Amino acid sequence: MRYLTKQSIEDIAIGAAVLGTGGGGDPTLGRWMALAALEEHGPCPLLSVDEVDDEALVVPSGMMGAPTVLAEKIPGGTELDSAFELMEQALGRRIEATMPVEVGGVNSLLPLVLALRKGIPVIDADAMGRAFPEVHMTSFHLDGLPPGPAAIADEKGNGVLLYPKDGTWYERLARDLTIQMGCSVAVLDYPLSGQQVKQSGILSTLSLAEQWGSLLRQARGDGLDPAGVLMEKTGALPLIRGKVTDVDRRTDGGFTKGALDLEGIEDWRGKNLQLSFQNEFLVARAGEEVLASTPDLITVLDNETGLPITTEAIRYGMRVWALAFPCHPKWRTERGIDVVGPRCFGYDFEFVPAELRRGVRK
């Protein structure tokens, strides 16, 4: 076990926003909340999965809804407490640890807030290795683990327990509830044993986020090009270095949906790229040619600072890098593509790994 410090949280916030592919909520909000909780309660214990007892009760935690709404309707923390208490009542036993369900944006850090408030550790793992927009899009769902009971709570004092038949029904029911509750709610779901986390989780992702955040921070401090350093160290693939020329963004069905257009700058002059998103960036196209798509990661970084930019924060005129990263191998299986591939989001093409797309620079 090790303890997360203020610097750890700062680095996780940045790295998780890279892994979050534009979604998961603004990491700045999660960073503020986690740092405040750290100040009040002391360092946050982080467990590797090897340190988790096989019989321990682990329940992932986070927020569900549209990131644009979350940026304006800031959670106070009571929503997480309410959902936690509902879950313990439903299960009839004490929750012994929590973890992110996605290592993206605010949802990578809110489990730390909850853990500190409840005096339990956080596990160094998640269920996506990135962020996805729908709640059943997890490695737990791939392995057939049930999502319920699921506890959902809002800032008004409403709380709901769901016992969905499966992950697909969970998304349908929870999404409708989230819309009625203001498009931003706290959620605890997929109660698991320690053994199930070891078998089905995507491991060491908080450490990976911390590593990537530290890499970008040190590159800035050394006067280097942060995006260039990230590409060199991680194997990320450049899609374009460009200027944002148009942003179409709306809240629809409990999601932030839209697209943005990029026009190449510097060595990329004459190139154009469009990024489509549903909370997260899902598809990168140059004209009719697809350069990268879900489940691979598509991330946008500020051209100067290398800081990741979320889909709700991107604005006309920004100079940015768009990069692609290979997803976790679980998502490139036949089952993984069935759950999070392009066709799941209404795109009429098959998934091809970004490194095999001919328009992507190696």
Side-chain angles (χ1 to χ4, degrees):
M1 182 175 67
R2 67 184 178 99
Y3 288 88
L4 296 174
T5 63
K6 290 182 178 180
Q7 188 61 68
S8 302
I9 288 171
E10 297 277 4
D11 290 338
I12 288 171
I14 300 303
V18 177
L19 289 164
T21 65
D26 185 353
T28 303
L29 170 61
R31 177 171 61 85
W32 289 340
M33 293 179 68
L35 289 173
L38 196 75
E39 186 71 26
E40 181 177 357
H41 300 285
C44 181
L46 181 71
L47 296 180
S48 71
V49 291
D50 294 336
E51 297 172 295
V52 180
D53 187 88
D54 284 350
E55 302 305 317
L57 175 59
V58 181
V59 184
S61 54
M63 299 294 291
M64 175 180 179
T68 48
V69 174
L70 180 61
E72 297 182 4
K73 194 176 79 167
I74 297 173
T78 57
E79 308 94 323
L80 282 167
D81 291 345
S82 297
F84 184 94
E85 290 156 13
L86 270 176
M87 181 63 83
E88 285 199 328
Q89 291 170 18
L91 297 174
R93 58 179 289 199
R94 180 176 179 271
I95 296 171
E96 296 168 79
T98 189
M99 60 183 282
V101 74
E102 62 181 4
V103 63
V106 70
N107 272 339
S108 61
L109 293 165
L110 287 181
L112 278 61
V113 176
L114 181 63
L116 286 165
R117 291 166 72 110
K118 297 300 180 181
I120 60 176
V122 174
I123 297 176
D124 190 4
D126 79 309
M128 298 182 187
R130 48 161 295 164
F132 282 117
E134 299 184 13
V135 291
H136 70 294
M137 294 176 169
T138 67
S139 55
F140 306 142
H141 179 68
L142 292 187
D143 288 348
L145 297 174
I152 301 174
D154 66 13
E155 81 287 354
K156 306 176 192 70
N158 296 308
V160 179
L161 277 172
L162 284 179
Y163 293 84
K165 174 185 174 182
D166 55 30
T168 304
W169 270 105
Y170 176 37
E171 165 61 28
R172 293 173 65 179
L173 297 171
R175 190 66 54 182
D176 284 349
L177 277 169
T178 299
I179 292 169
Q180 292 302 316
M181 296 167 85
C183 286
S184 179
V185 295
V187 177
L188 270 74
D189 52 17
Y190 285 99
L192 304 163
S193 69
Q195 184 179 29
Q196 288 171 320
V197 174
K198 295 173 187 179
Q199 291 174 343
S200 296
I202 296 179
L203 310 183
S204 303
T205 45
L206 282 172
S207 290
L208 179 64
E210 184 181 3
Q211 177 188 337
W212 284 15
S214 174
L215 191 68
L216 289 170
R217 172 174 55 84
Q218 291 179 31
R220 290 194 304 275
D222 293 340
L224 303 175
D225 173 21
V229 171
L230 189 66
M231 285 185 275
E232 178 186 351
K233 298 294 186 181
T234 69
L237 304 169
L239 298 172
I240 198 171
R241 192 175 198 171
K243 177 179 71 174
V244 179
T245 58
D246 189 47
V247 181
D248 171 25
R249 181 172 46 230
R250 63 196 183 279
T251 300
D252 180 9
F255 300 102
T256 299
K257 295 182 179 180
L260 62 95
D261 294 330
L262 297 169
E263 179 182 291
I265 59 174
E266 301 177 17
D267 293 345
W268 294 80
R269 289 186 184 278
K271 304 287 186 181
N272 293 280
L273 190 75
Q274 183 176 78
L275 300 179
S276 301
F277 55 85
Q278 179 179 318
N279 289 5
E280 287 76 36
F281 293 113
L282 298 177
V283 178
R285 289 189 181 96
E288 296 299 315
E289 183 183 4
V290 176
L291 301 188
S293 77
T294 177
D296 281 348
L297 287 65
I298 300 167
T299 294
V300 173
L301 307 180
D302 181 87
N303 185 49
E304 297 298 326
T305 66
L307 294 174
I309 308 172
T310 56
T311 55
E312 74 272 15
I314 202 154
R315 298 288 184 271
Y316 171 83
M318 285 181 167
R319 269 66 171 173
V320 302
W321 270 106
L323 309 178
F325 299 82
C327 62
H328 190 277
K330 284 179 183 281
W331 298 119
R332 289 187 173 185
T333 63
E334 183 177 351
R335 172 67 171 151
I337 299 301
D338 285 344
V339 174
V340 295
R343 295 191 185 279
C344 298
F345 299 95
Y347 298 104
D348 190 21
F349 58 84
E350 300 294 337
F351 169 72
V352 175
E355 64 270 23
L356 300 183
R357 295 280 188 182
R358 64 183 177 85
V360 177
R361 294 190 185 182
K362 306 297 192 293

